[in-house]
Amino acid sequence: MKFSRRNLIVAATAFAATSSSAARAISSALPERGRGASLVLPNVGSKTGPNAGSIAPVSPAALPPVPAPFQPEGIRAELFDAAMKALDRHDRRVKRDRIGVVDFSASSSQPRFHLVDLDNRKITSLPVAHGSGSDPGHTGWLQRFSNRPGSNASSEGAYLTADYYYGGHGRSQRLVGLDDTNSNALERAIVIHGAWYAEPNMIGAHGKLGRSQGCLAVGDSLLGRAFDHLGEGRMIYAAKMA
């Protein structure tokens, strides 16, 4: 089919008219909006001022206070720090709720066997004797350590409290040496036991306790306190800090 110029002009005019009518129909179906209308966020901040319509900052939740590190009174800070490091070092073998700390830097006239309740942050201190091989002149001060059988000396390091038994000193408790410096504790029969020469009244009479053969000897009247605190499976740390 051939279209003349006149026919093309008529067809174009009809199409334009139809398109215009369709556009007006669509426009009338939409809701009216004001010129330049835009989306406005709800005002959840200040009602006036430069920050109107902004979102107010949210404060972070208050965090619980961090408890201060436990530093028991009566124990040298460096000794307690060394004991806690030993507790971490032997963590898989010992319970962590209570420990014993022996300060062999102090004289035997002092309550230097510290029973520390780590969970409740409490401490009880008792006098304890050292070995005769560690203080040959019986000065009341520990001079040296030894791990050698037959030395009658005290050994330094971490101990594991083991089972109870009845022996020559009555009820006693075996100790297992956990470090190279006290590894012979079982062989040497290094234990906790009661002794008359470790009673507090010896200090009043002689200014010091008697000496053991390397054991942690406590007065018979105080032995129950040590046993009740320690039980089995806990650590005792003994050292002499410069």
Side-chain angles (χ1 to χ4, degrees):
M1 179 185 294
K2 294 182 179 180
F3 290 93
S4 65
R5 178 179 180 83
R6 182 175 180 279
N7 289 338
L8 288 175
I9 293 173
V10 171
T13 302
F15 176 77
T18 303
S19 298
S20 177
S21 298
R24 285 194 300 272
I26 293 174
S27 177
S28 63
L30 294 176
E32 294 186 358
R33 294 191 306 171
R35 181 177 298 177
S38 60
L39 180 63
V40 179
L41 293 174
N43 185 356
V44 295
S46 56
K47 294 183 178 180
T48 59
N51 293 324
S54 63
I55 298 176
V58 178
S59 300
L63 297 176
V66 178
F70 179 37
Q71 178 55 58
E73 291 187 15
I75 304 181
R76 301 170 195 267
E78 62 270 27
L79 175 61
F80 186 68
D81 183 61
M84 294 306 293
K85 288 179 179 177
L87 187 63
D88 290 338
R89 189 165 63 249
H90 300 294
D91 179 73
R92 295 186 179 182
R93 300 191 62 178
V94 299
K95 300 173 183 177
R96 296 187 61 94
D97 56 342
R98 299 192 293 273
I99 62 172
V101 180
V102 183
D103 184 1
F104 279 133
S105 303
S107 165
S108 66
S109 64
Q110 302 298 314
R112 56 184 181 172
F113 188 4
H114 306 292
L115 308 176
V116 186
D117 184 335
L118 296 172
D119 283 353
N120 297 303
R121 298 193 168 202
K122 296 181 179 179
I123 177 172
T124 300
S125 300
L126 313 173
V128 64
H130 53 247
S132 60
S134 291
D135 180 16
H138 197 187
T139 64
W141 298 86
L142 182 141
Q143 308 294 326
R144 65 184 182 88
F145 292 109
S146 178
N147 191 36
R148 181 174 56 82
S151 66
N152 290 340
S154 300
S155 299
E156 64 180 330
Y159 294 87
L160 171 69
T161 58
D163 60 307
Y164 296 95
Y165 70 98
Y166 282 88
H169 295 281
R171 191 181 184 211
S172 306
Q173 184 174 30
R174 292 184 176 89
L175 298 175
V176 178
L178 300 178
D179 296 325
D180 293 339
T181 53
N182 62 0
S183 57
N184 292 324
L186 278 178
E187 179 185 350
R188 297 178 59 204
I190 301 300
V191 303
I192 302 174
H193 65 73
W196 61 269
Y197 58 79
E199 289 287 356
N201 60 14
M202 292 292 291
I203 299 171
H206 304 283
K208 57 196 171 187
L209 299 182
R211 298 168 296 170
S212 69
Q213 292 181 309
C215 294
L216 296 177
V218 177
D220 289 309
S221 63
L222 302 175
L223 186 63
R225 295 188 191 181
F227 285 166
D228 290 344
H229 174 84
L230 293 168
E232 298 183 26
R234 293 186 172 88
M235 191 192 80
I236 298 174
Y237 184 75
K240 178 179 181 179
M241 311 301 289

Short mmCIF file of all heavy atoms in Angstrom, two decimals, residues 144-180:
data_model
loop_
_atom_site.label_atom_id
_atom_site.label_comp_id
_atom_site.label_asym_id
_atom_site.label_seq_id
_atom_site.Cartn_x
_atom_site.Cartn_y
_atom_site.Cartn_z
N ARG A 144 69.60 -21.68 102.46
CA ARG A 144 69.72 -22.29 101.13
C ARG A 144 68.65 -23.36 100.95
O ARG A 144 68.07 -23.84 101.92
CB ARG A 144 71.11 -22.92 100.96
CG ARG A 144 71.38 -24.09 101.91
CD ARG A 144 72.79 -24.61 101.79
NE ARG A 144 73.03 -25.76 102.66
CZ ARG A 144 72.80 -27.03 102.31
NH1 ARG A 144 72.32 -27.31 101.11
NH2 ARG A 144 73.04 -28.01 103.16
N PHE A 145 68.44 -23.74 99.69
CA PHE A 145 67.52 -24.82 99.34
C PHE A 145 68.33 -26.02 98.83
O PHE A 145 69.47 -25.87 98.39
CB PHE A 145 66.56 -24.39 98.23
CG PHE A 145 65.56 -23.34 98.64
CD1 PHE A 145 65.65 -22.04 98.15
CD2 PHE A 145 64.51 -23.66 99.48
CE1 PHE A 145 64.73 -21.08 98.50
CE2 PHE A 145 63.57 -22.70 99.83
CZ PHE A 145 63.68 -21.41 99.35
N SER A 146 67.69 -27.17 98.87
CA SER A 146 68.28 -28.35 98.24
C SER A 146 67.18 -29.32 97.86
O SER A 146 66.18 -29.44 98.58
CB SER A 146 69.29 -29.04 99.16
OG SER A 146 69.82 -30.20 98.54
N ASN A 147 67.37 -30.01 96.75
CA ASN A 147 66.46 -31.06 96.30
C ASN A 147 67.09 -32.44 96.46
O ASN A 147 66.52 -33.44 96.07
CB ASN A 147 66.10 -30.81 94.82
CG ASN A 147 64.97 -31.68 94.31
OD1 ASN A 147 64.03 -31.99 95.03
ND2 ASN A 147 65.06 -32.10 93.06
N ARG A 148 68.26 -32.47 97.09
CA ARG A 148 69.03 -33.71 97.18
C ARG A 148 68.53 -34.57 98.34
O ARG A 148 68.38 -34.08 99.46
CB ARG A 148 70.51 -33.38 97.36
CG ARG A 148 71.45 -34.59 97.45
CD ARG A 148 72.89 -34.13 97.49
NE ARG A 148 73.13 -33.20 98.58
CZ ARG A 148 73.36 -33.56 99.84
NH1 ARG A 148 73.35 -34.85 100.18
NH2 ARG A 148 73.60 -32.64 100.76
N PRO A 149 68.31 -35.86 98.10
CA PRO A 149 67.94 -36.75 99.20
C PRO A 149 69.01 -36.76 100.28
O PRO A 149 70.21 -36.76 99.99
CB PRO A 149 67.83 -38.12 98.51
CG PRO A 149 67.51 -37.80 97.09
CD PRO A 149 68.26 -36.54 96.79
N GLY A 150 68.60 -36.75 101.53
CA GLY A 150 69.53 -36.76 102.64
C GLY A 150 70.02 -35.39 103.05
O GLY A 150 70.77 -35.27 104.02
N SER A 151 69.64 -34.34 102.35
CA SER A 151 70.13 -32.99 102.66
C SER A 151 69.42 -32.37 103.87
O SER A 151 69.93 -31.43 104.46
CB SER A 151 69.94 -32.07 101.45
OG SER A 151 68.56 -31.87 101.18
N ASN A 152 68.24 -32.88 104.22
CA ASN A 152 67.41 -32.31 105.30
C ASN A 152 67.08 -30.84 105.08
O ASN A 152 66.78 -30.11 106.03
CB ASN A 152 68.10 -32.47 106.67
CG ASN A 152 68.13 -33.92 107.13
OD1 ASN A 152 67.35 -34.74 106.65
ND2 ASN A 152 69.04 -34.23 108.04
N ALA A 153 67.14 -30.41 103.84
CA ALA A 153 66.88 -29.01 103.50
C ALA A 153 65.48 -28.85 102.90
O ALA A 153 64.89 -29.81 102.37
CB ALA A 153 67.92 -28.50 102.52
N SER A 154 64.97 -27.65 102.98
CA SER A 154 63.73 -27.32 102.30
C SER A 154 63.99 -27.14 100.81
O SER A 154 65.11 -26.81 100.40
CB SER A 154 63.15 -26.01 102.86
OG SER A 154 62.88 -26.13 104.24
N SER A 155 62.97 -27.38 100.01
CA SER A 155 63.07 -27.20 98.55
C SER A 155 62.11 -26.11 98.12
O SER A 155 61.01 -25.98 98.66
CB SER A 155 62.74 -28.49 97.81
OG SER A 155 63.64 -29.53 98.15
N GLU A 156 62.53 -25.34 97.12
CA GLU A 156 61.65 -24.30 96.59
C GLU A 156 60.87 -24.83 95.39
O GLU A 156 61.24 -25.83 94.77
CB GLU A 156 62.46 -23.07 96.19
CG GLU A 156 63.45 -23.33 95.05
CD GLU A 156 64.24 -22.08 94.69
OE1 GLU A 156 63.69 -20.97 94.86
OE2 GLU A 156 65.39 -22.21 94.25
N GLY A 157 59.79 -24.13 95.08
CA GLY A 157 59.01 -24.49 93.90
C GLY A 157 57.56 -24.77 94.24
O GLY A 157 57.09 -24.53 95.35
N ALA A 158 56.84 -25.29 93.25
CA ALA A 158 55.41 -25.59 93.38
C ALA A 158 55.22 -27.05 93.76
O ALA A 158 55.86 -27.94 93.21
CB ALA A 158 54.70 -25.28 92.07
N TYR A 159 54.32 -27.27 94.72
CA TYR A 159 53.96 -28.61 95.18
C TYR A 159 52.48 -28.86 94.93
O TYR A 159 51.65 -27.94 95.00
CB TYR A 159 54.21 -28.76 96.68
CG TYR A 159 55.64 -28.68 97.14
CD1 TYR A 159 56.22 -27.44 97.43
CD2 TYR A 159 56.41 -29.82 97.32
CE1 TYR A 159 57.53 -27.35 97.88
CE2 TYR A 159 57.72 -29.75 97.78
CZ TYR A 159 58.28 -28.51 98.06
OH TYR A 159 59.57 -28.43 98.51
N LEU A 160 52.16 -30.12 94.68
CA LEU A 160 50.77 -30.56 94.59
C LEU A 160 50.44 -31.32 95.87
O LEU A 160 51.16 -32.25 96.25
CB LEU A 160 50.58 -31.47 93.38
CG LEU A 160 49.23 -32.19 93.26
CD1 LEU A 160 48.11 -31.19 92.95
CD2 LEU A 160 49.29 -33.28 92.18
N THR A 161 49.37 -30.91 96.57
CA THR A 161 48.98 -31.65 97.77
C THR A 161 48.36 -32.98 97.35
O THR A 161 47.48 -33.03 96.49
CB THR A 161 47.97 -30.84 98.60
OG1 THR A 161 46.82 -30.54 97.81
CG2 THR A 161 48.60 -29.53 99.08
N ALA A 162 48.81 -34.05 97.99
CA ALA A 162 48.36 -35.40 97.63
C ALA A 162 47.55 -36.01 98.78
O ALA A 162 46.82 -35.29 99.47
CB ALA A 162 49.56 -36.26 97.25
N ASP A 163 47.68 -37.31 99.01
CA ASP A 163 46.84 -38.02 99.97
C ASP A 163 47.31 -37.83 101.41
O ASP A 163 48.45 -37.44 101.67
CB ASP A 163 46.80 -39.51 99.63
CG ASP A 163 48.19 -40.13 99.67
OD1 ASP A 163 49.11 -39.60 99.01
OD2 ASP A 163 48.38 -41.14 100.40
N TYR A 164 46.40 -38.13 102.33
CA TYR A 164 46.71 -38.09 103.76
C TYR A 164 47.09 -39.49 104.23
O TYR A 164 46.65 -40.50 103.67
CB TYR A 164 45.50 -37.60 104.55
CG TYR A 164 45.10 -36.18 104.25
CD1 TYR A 164 44.10 -35.90 103.32
CD2 TYR A 164 45.70 -35.10 104.88
CE1 TYR A 164 43.71 -34.60 103.04
CE2 TYR A 164 45.33 -33.79 104.62
CZ TYR A 164 44.34 -33.55 103.69
OH TYR A 164 43.96 -32.26 103.40
N TYR A 165 47.87 -39.54 105.28
CA TYR A 165 48.24 -40.83 105.87
C TYR A 165 48.63 -40.59 107.33
O TYR A 165 48.81 -39.44 107.77
CB TYR A 165 49.42 -41.45 105.11
CG TYR A 165 50.73 -40.73 105.30
CD1 TYR A 165 51.68 -41.18 106.23
CD2 TYR A 165 51.03 -39.58 104.56
CE1 TYR A 165 52.89 -40.50 106.41
CE2 TYR A 165 52.22 -38.90 104.75
CZ TYR A 165 53.14 -39.37 105.67
OH TYR A 165 54.32 -38.68 105.86
N TYR A 166 48.76 -41.65 108.09
CA TYR A 166 49.20 -41.55 109.48
C TYR A 166 50.60 -42.15 109.58
O TYR A 166 50.84 -43.29 109.17
CB TYR A 166 48.24 -42.28 110.41
CG TYR A 166 46.98 -41.48 110.67
CD1 TYR A 166 45.88 -41.58 109.82
CD2 TYR A 166 46.91 -40.60 111.75
CE1 TYR A 166 44.73 -40.83 110.05
CE2 TYR A 166 45.76 -39.84 111.98
CZ TYR A 166 44.68 -39.96 111.13
OH TYR A 166 43.55 -39.20 111.35
N GLY A 167 51.53 -41.35 110.12
CA GLY A 167 52.91 -41.79 110.24
C GLY A 167 53.47 -41.42 111.60
O GLY A 167 52.73 -41.27 112.58
N GLY A 168 54.77 -41.23 111.66
CA GLY A 168 55.45 -40.93 112.90
C GLY A 168 55.02 -39.60 113.51
O GLY A 168 55.16 -39.40 114.73
N HIS A 169 54.51 -38.69 112.71
CA HIS A 169 54.04 -37.39 113.20
C HIS A 169 52.52 -37.31 113.23
O HIS A 169 51.95 -36.22 113.26
CB HIS A 169 54.59 -36.26 112.32
CG HIS A 169 56.08 -36.12 112.38
ND1 HIS A 169 56.74 -35.50 113.43
CD2 HIS A 169 57.04 -36.55 111.51
CE1 HIS A 169 58.04 -35.52 113.21
NE2 HIS A 169 58.25 -36.15 112.05
N GLY A 170 51.85 -38.47 113.24
CA GLY A 170 50.40 -38.46 113.22
C GLY A 170 49.88 -38.23 111.80
O GLY A 170 50.51 -38.63 110.81
N ARG A 171 48.75 -37.58 111.70
CA ARG A 171 48.17 -37.34 110.39
C ARG A 171 49.06 -36.39 109.60
O ARG A 171 49.43 -35.32 110.07
CB ARG A 171 46.77 -36.75 110.52
CG ARG A 171 46.00 -36.72 109.19
CD ARG A 171 44.64 -36.10 109.35
NE ARG A 171 43.89 -36.16 108.10
CZ ARG A 171 43.00 -35.27 107.73
NH1 ARG A 171 42.74 -34.22 108.49
NH2 ARG A 171 42.35 -35.40 106.58
N SER A 172 49.39 -36.80 108.39
CA SER A 172 50.29 -36.04 107.53
C SER A 172 49.75 -36.04 106.10
O SER A 172 48.84 -36.82 105.78
CB SER A 172 51.70 -36.64 107.56
OG SER A 172 52.19 -36.75 108.89
N GLN A 173 50.33 -35.21 105.27
CA GLN A 173 49.89 -35.13 103.87
C GLN A 173 51.09 -35.12 102.95
O GLN A 173 52.01 -34.31 103.10
CB GLN A 173 49.05 -33.87 103.63
CG GLN A 173 48.47 -33.78 102.22
CD GLN A 173 47.52 -32.60 102.05
OE1 GLN A 173 47.68 -31.58 102.70
NE2 GLN A 173 46.55 -32.74 101.16
N ARG A 174 51.07 -36.04 101.99
CA ARG A 174 52.17 -36.13 101.03
C ARG A 174 52.13 -34.95 100.06
O ARG A 174 51.07 -34.42 99.73
CB ARG A 174 52.10 -37.44 100.25
CG ARG A 174 52.39 -38.67 101.10
CD ARG A 174 52.41 -39.94 100.26
NE ARG A 174 52.78 -41.10 101.04
CZ ARG A 174 51.91 -41.88 101.71
NH1 ARG A 174 50.62 -41.61 101.65
NH2 ARG A 174 52.33 -42.91 102.41
N LEU A 175 53.31 -34.59 99.59
CA LEU A 175 53.45 -33.51 98.61
C LEU A 175 54.20 -34.02 97.38
O LEU A 175 55.19 -34.76 97.51
CB LEU A 175 54.21 -32.32 99.22
CG LEU A 175 53.56 -31.64 100.43
CD1 LEU A 175 54.49 -30.57 100.99
CD2 LEU A 175 52.22 -31.04 100.06
N VAL A 176 53.74 -33.62 96.21
CA VAL A 176 54.39 -33.98 94.95
C VAL A 176 55.08 -32.73 94.41
O VAL A 176 54.44 -31.69 94.21
CB VAL A 176 53.36 -34.49 93.92
CG1 VAL A 176 54.05 -34.81 92.60
CG2 VAL A 176 52.62 -35.71 94.46
N GLY A 177 56.39 -32.82 94.18
CA GLY A 177 57.12 -31.68 93.61
C GLY A 177 56.81 -31.53 92.14
O GLY A 177 56.94 -32.50 91.36
N LEU A 178 56.42 -30.35 91.72
CA LEU A 178 56.04 -30.11 90.33
C LEU A 178 57.15 -29.47 89.51
O LEU A 178 57.03 -29.38 88.28
CB LEU A 178 54.80 -29.21 90.28
CG LEU A 178 53.53 -29.75 90.97
CD1 LEU A 178 52.41 -28.72 90.87
CD2 LEU A 178 53.10 -31.07 90.35
N ASP A 179 58.21 -29.00 90.16
CA ASP A 179 59.30 -28.31 89.47
C ASP A 179 60.60 -29.09 89.60
O ASP A 179 60.74 -29.99 90.44
CB ASP A 179 59.47 -26.89 90.02
CG ASP A 179 58.26 -26.01 89.77
OD1 ASP A 179 57.63 -26.17 88.70
OD2 ASP A 179 57.95 -25.16 90.63
N ASP A 180 61.57 -28.74 88.78
CA ASP A 180 62.88 -29.39 88.85
C ASP A 180 63.55 -29.16 90.21
O ASP A 180 64.36 -29.98 90.65
CB ASP A 180 63.80 -28.85 87.74
CG ASP A 180 63.33 -29.25 86.34
OD1 ASP A 180 62.56 -30.24 86.24
OD2 ASP A 180 63.72 -28.58 85.37
#
